[in-house]
Amino acid sequence: MLTPAASATKPDPQDLLAWYDRHRRDLPWRARPGETADPYRVWLSEIMLQQTTVAAVRSYYLNFLERFPSVEALAEAPSEAVMHAWAGLGYYSRARNLHACAKAVIEKHDGRFPSTEAELLKLPGIGAYTAAAVAAIAFDEKAAAVDGNVERVVSRIYMVEEPLPKAKPLIRALTEELVPADRPGDFAQAVMDLGATICTPKRPACALCPWMVPCKARAEGLQESFPRKQKKESGQLRKGAAFVVLRADDTILLRTRPPLGLLGGMAEPPTSEWVPDYQPSRAVLDAPIEARWQRLPGTVKHVFTHFPLELTVLFAKVAKGTPAPEDMRWTPRLQLHEEALPGAMKKVLVHALGDIPGPKGKSEKQAKGA
């Protein structure tokens, strides 16, 4: 049994670094021991990992890096190419900010990322966490990078009773006290790895943790009850209609959403407005063109960060040569995979067409839950 004195012991960063040297994860954006971290790769991975898991990001990161191997290549790319490469990762404002940030690095910093947390914060799309992470990992600045994993680890060690998000300033201050002057970049990655592999949200492997002894929550047997969180209120269900038009030359009607706002700059089949009291029975009145519309059975459901969405899908076939309405376009069905289609709109197309032909013969099948 841990004594009160033992449970009050301050966490030693060197204990964590020793654990990290033995158990560090092999990640495609992470420099190996002895290598110098590439600021572009660190930054790109940190933007991609926001609100997304390592497992989901890995393949996107490698494909994105192959397409845009440097900040120069990313800055020079058309916005449509960037949005297409991002399609499927969600939170699409990140992709727009990513592109803007790359341009700023080229135009204002001669293609070199600033090396300090303060200067990094001035770049588009870089917030407190990303600035600290890039400064620490890529430039070894003594900065506290506090993500969800770090919040969980620190709140358990110190038994932070104040719930998130109000506890964020306190957790950041406690983390700053732990960051060592030596190897701050490795320390940042070590805390992330600890939270991802040992100090997990449920059933943490406390017996394997290098900070087991100083962890106050572990000493009280309360580790799974931290961090404290305020109850989230789910957004109100919104409804709407989506219109899938197949022209006789095997093309599909698409449009690009406005650059700002939800799914900004992404491609989609035309949709109605999304509102809580939308009446599917009147959906045909919102159709983009006159046609013999067929209302398909079932609905497409998708959950965004702040609200769930339910779309009724209407399908129509039109003659070859039918013009596209203003600000819309016809895309060959076999080239749909080249469009920057977000997950919700892929579900709509799959619901109407059965699948979406993809590169190298692959296809997206009927979406689950639709």
Side-chain angles (χ1 to χ4, degrees):
M1 177 181 294
L2 295 174
T3 66
S7 64
T9 302
K10 183 179 178 180
D12 186 344
Q14 299 307 317
D15 290 340
L16 180 64
L17 287 168
W19 171 85
Y20 178 70
D21 288 340
R22 296 191 301 270
H23 302 289
R24 58 185 288 153
R25 290 180 293 175
D26 184 15
L27 301 173
W29 48 82
R30 180 174 285 177
R32 291 181 171 83
E35 293 181 347
T36 301
D38 181 341
Y40 173 67
R41 295 189 175 204
V42 174
W43 163 74
L44 177 59
S45 68
E46 292 299 341
I47 299 296
M48 284 191 167
L49 285 165
Q50 293 171 14
Q51 306 293 330
T52 316
T53 65
V54 167
V57 163
R58 190 184 296 263
S59 61
Y60 277 98
Y61 171 83
L62 293 172
N63 291 334
F64 200 97
L65 193 63
E66 183 177 358
R67 195 165 180 178
F68 311 110
S70 65
V71 69
E72 291 85 1
L74 180 56
E76 293 169 2
S79 59
E80 295 80 5
V82 177
M83 298 305 288
H84 175 258
W86 193 273
L89 268 175
Y91 301 92
Y92 295 98
S93 61
R94 291 183 298 169
R96 296 192 295 274
N97 286 330
L98 189 86
H99 200 199
C101 184
K103 291 180 179 179
V105 169
I106 297 299
E107 295 168 3
K108 298 179 181 180
H109 299 280
D110 297 324
R112 295 177 179 271
F113 278 87
S115 61
T116 67
E117 185 178 4
E119 288 298 313
L120 286 163
L121 271 171
K122 297 177 183 178
L123 293 171
I126 292 189
Y129 164 74
T130 304
V134 174
I137 298 169
F139 300 105
D140 240 15
E141 183 180 6
K142 190 175 180 293
V146 183
D147 67 351
N149 284 317
V150 178
E151 287 177 343
R152 185 166 58 256
V153 170
V154 173
S155 68
R156 287 172 174 174
I157 289 172
Y158 292 101
M159 279 186 68
V160 177
E161 291 290 349
E162 189 172 24
L164 290 169
K166 288 184 178 180
K168 284 180 179 289
L170 173 58
I171 291 174
R172 181 175 179 83
L174 291 170
T175 306
E176 287 174 344
E177 292 180 3
L178 291 172
V179 179
D182 179 44
R183 300 176 65 189
D186 283 344
F187 177 83
Q189 294 174 107
V191 186
M192 295 175 199
D193 278 12
L194 186 68
T197 63
I198 300 295
C199 196
T200 50
K202 295 181 180 178
R203 301 183 66 182
C206 296
L208 303 177
C209 179
W211 281 346
M212 179 185 73
V213 171
C215 181
K216 294 182 179 180
R218 167 69 175 81
E220 298 293 333
L222 297 174
Q223 56 269 33
E224 288 194 47
S225 65
F226 289 88
R228 309 293 200 200
K229 293 183 180 180
Q230 289 180 333
K231 186 177 180 181
K232 281 187 179 179
E233 299 205 7
S234 58
Q236 186 176 12
L237 172 67
R238 300 185 195 179
K239 298 179 181 180
F243 303 91
V244 179
V245 191
L246 176 61
R247 201 166 67 170
D249 58 356
D250 205 32
T251 58
I252 304 295
L253 186 66
L254 296 180
R255 69 182 180 187
T256 298
R257 292 178 65 87
L260 300 179
L262 183 65
L263 304 181
M266 303 300 289
E268 67 171 4
T271 69
S272 69
E273 62 176 347
W274 304 346
V275 292
D277 57 353
Y278 190 81
Q279 297 297 321
S281 60
R282 298 175 58 82
V284 70
L285 299 176
D286 294 320
I289 60 176
E290 293 211 6
R292 298 183 65 178
W293 290 99
Q294 173 190 1
R295 180 177 167 181
L296 301 181
T299 58
V300 168
K301 298 180 174 68
H302 192 83
V303 179
F304 293 102
T305 307
H306 301 298
F307 66 91
L309 175 67
E310 186 175 288
L311 293 174
T312 297
V313 181
L314 283 77
F315 177 73
K317 293 182 179 180
V318 297
K320 184 177 179 179
T322 301
E326 186 177 359
D327 296 327
M328 299 188 192
R329 62 187 180 277
W330 295 103
T331 294
R333 189 170 62 89
L334 294 177
Q335 294 177 18
L336 285 173
H337 65 276
E338 297 178 5
E339 292 278 0
L341 290 162
M345 297 307 150
K346 287 182 179 179
K347 290 181 183 180
V348 167
L349 291 169
V350 168
H351 191 78
L353 304 175
D355 69 1
I356 302 177
K360 300 178 182 179
K362 297 180 180 178
S363 65
E364 299 205 25
K365 297 297 183 182
Q366 182 64 40
K368 292 181 180 180

